[in-house]
Amino acid sequence: MTDRIHVLEGRMLVYLNVDEVIKTIRESDEPRPALMQRFALTERQADDILDMRLRQLARLEGFKIEQEL
């Protein structure tokens, strides 16, 4: 349960900065450390974000994330 909350907190942060996150992923040779540094994500959160397709990332819905949290 706490792992899921941790992941959702990372997704909410990404949702609030989605354009910049997508840009970081596209422009970085090593996106995981770039995301971790730029957005203060943990390895677990960064891995979750990188496992998502960019289309899914762009469609993240803050309301659904907040509701599940």
Side-chain angles (χ1 to χ4, degrees):
M1 181 70 166
T2 57
D3 182 60
R4 182 67 182 159
I5 292 170
H6 183 68
V7 166
L8 289 171
E9 289 170 341
R11 287 185 181 186
M12 180 57 84
L13 182 64
V14 167
Y15 169 73
L16 297 172
N17 300 285
V18 71
D19 292 331
E20 193 171 345
V21 169
I22 290 172
K23 181 180 178 185
T24 300
I25 292 170
R26 286 184 174 162
E27 293 179 353
S28 179
D29 291 333
E30 295 195 28
R32 188 215 269 171
L35 288 172
M36 291 172 63
Q37 180 179 5
R38 174 67 183 96
F39 301 100
L41 298 173
T42 64
E43 284 186 36
R44 175 71 177 101
Q45 290 169 326
D47 287 342
D48 174 67
I49 298 306
L50 291 170
D51 286 343
M52 299 175 83
R53 294 180 182 168
L54 287 180
R55 181 179 300 142
Q56 286 176 302
L57 195 56
R59 287 185 166 174
L60 276 179
E61 294 181 34
F63 178 74
K64 287 183 182 179
I65 295 169
E66 285 180 10
Q67 192 174 27
E68 189 172 344
L69 273 170

